[in-house]
Amino acid sequence: MVIEEMTEHELLRHFCSRQTADAPSPAGSKEALVDESNLPEFIATAAAVIRQTELEDILYRAISFSLPAEGAGLESSFITLYSALESALTFFRRQDDYEIIPSENFRQLERDLRKWLKQHPLLIDKSDSRALIYEKIRELNRFPFSHVFQNFCARYSLDLSDLWPLTGSPAEWPLMEIRHRLVHGDPFASRPSEAMLCAREHLRWTVERMLLSLLGWPVARSNVCPERLLEFGGYYQNWQAERARFS
């Protein structure tokens, strides 16, 4: 059964089991995300949250991207998981109209900026350069990714301090830097596969905690809480050493 054909309950059930009908649980996932004994309560709670929003298509997309794809390679699965994270943040932003300036006011600012840029001495005779800058103006009205992510964690009291950081200095190899390098063509074949696998699992745990928070389910009652991940050992506890291998 393909993901697009799943019912609401089927999708939530597969999310809890960390697998789809045609793909096994990902490497390193030894157990379900939510214990079988809590599954009926989780589905009822999550379904109620989904029905209260008009943005359920974005939430469905985030959940779908978090599920393993059959035959997906390590780099591909990392990028897909990151898409799940971005969809979760898109869902969060859309609920609060995350704009620095209201759209109707920003249009005036955009017109003023275009006039100023057109008259700037460095751009007067460079229409092609101006056109490229014009295309970036609307990005000025978007909160930085790291700001939205921090607000997400604050809103849901989500503690991710035990996991490989998502954001930070590129030199410290946050998960976001790994994703950027992958999508811009940096091959990771020459980098330690164990380090990449560790990063992928920490991204998975980050995404799963975020989705559980959006769906109204306490992380403490899942198998991605710190206490349960401690039982997992290696990848969870030794991520600092694995991250150092990227340098």
Side-chain angles (χ1 to χ4, degrees):
M1 178 185 297
V2 297
I3 289 173
E4 290 78 6
E5 296 174 348
M6 289 184 187
T7 66
E8 175 185 88
H9 284 203
E10 287 172 336
L11 183 60
L12 291 172
R13 186 176 294 275
H14 284 296
F15 173 61
C16 286
S17 67
R18 288 172 162 162
Q19 62 182 14
T20 61
D22 58 355
S25 297
S29 298
K30 294 183 178 180
E31 52 194 1
L33 182 57
V34 176
D35 289 339
E36 185 70 25
S37 60
N38 292 324
L39 190 56
E41 182 184 356
F42 168 80
I43 290 179
T45 300
V49 170
I50 292 173
R51 291 169 190 151
Q52 289 173 4
T53 178
E54 297 178 354
L55 303 172
E56 69 273 7
D57 58 326
I58 302 175
L59 193 51
Y60 285 144
R61 187 182 311 125
I63 295 172
S64 298
F65 282 145
S66 75
L67 300 177
E70 185 178 20
L74 183 55
E75 295 182 9
S76 177
S77 61
F78 190 99
I79 293 172
T80 302
L81 278 170
Y82 202 92
S83 296
L85 188 149
E86 291 181 313
S87 294
L89 289 182
T90 296
F91 177 82
F92 175 67
R93 286 199 308 268
R94 293 280 179 86
Q95 293 180 93
D96 291 333
D97 292 329
Y98 250 69
E99 295 176 322
I100 298 174
I101 300 175
S103 296
E104 58 273 17
N105 296 335
F106 188 79
R107 282 192 287 271
Q108 178 61 53
L109 177 61
E110 182 178 358
R111 288 193 291 270
D112 292 344
L113 283 173
R114 285 173 177 268
K115 291 178 182 177
W116 180 79
L117 288 167
K118 189 173 183 178
Q119 298 170 1
H120 196 283
L122 294 178
L123 296 171
I124 286 179
D125 298 322
K126 297 182 178 180
S127 58
D128 290 343
S129 297
R130 283 203 314 272
L132 292 174
I133 295 174
Y134 289 163
E135 290 183 13
K136 303 292 263 183
I137 288 178
R138 292 190 179 182
E139 294 182 19
L140 298 174
N141 203 33
R142 298 172 186 161
F143 280 94
F145 178 92
S146 58
H147 178 86
V148 177
F149 178 67
Q150 290 168 6
N151 280 6
F152 180 101
C153 293
R155 171 78 62 84
Y156 291 100
S157 300
L158 181 59
D159 184 6
L160 299 171
S161 60
D162 58 316
L163 300 179
W164 190 316
L166 177 68
T167 61
S169 168
E172 296 177 349
W173 286 97
L175 298 173
M176 183 170 69
E177 176 66 13
I178 297 175
R179 178 266 180 190
H180 288 347
R181 298 233 187 168
L182 286 173
V183 299
H184 289 103
D186 184 350
F188 274 65
S190 61
R191 303 185 189 278
S193 59
E194 286 297 309
M196 188 63 198
L197 185 56
C198 178
R200 197 273 306 274
E201 290 310 299
H202 277 259
L203 177 57
R204 183 183 306 284
W205 296 327
T206 297
V207 168
E208 289 174 341
R209 286 186 187 180
M210 291 174 67
L211 290 175
L212 288 172
S213 298
L214 284 176
L215 294 170
W217 190 260
V219 171
R221 295 185 62 191
S222 75
N223 290 320
V224 285
C225 66
E227 294 76 16
R228 297 306 297 271
L229 288 179
L230 275 173
E231 301 173 8
F232 185 67
Y235 287 150
Y236 175 65
Q237 298 182 56
N238 300 328
W239 64 264
Q240 293 94 337
E242 294 295 345
R243 182 178 63 174
R245 298 173 68 189
F246 277 118
S247 301

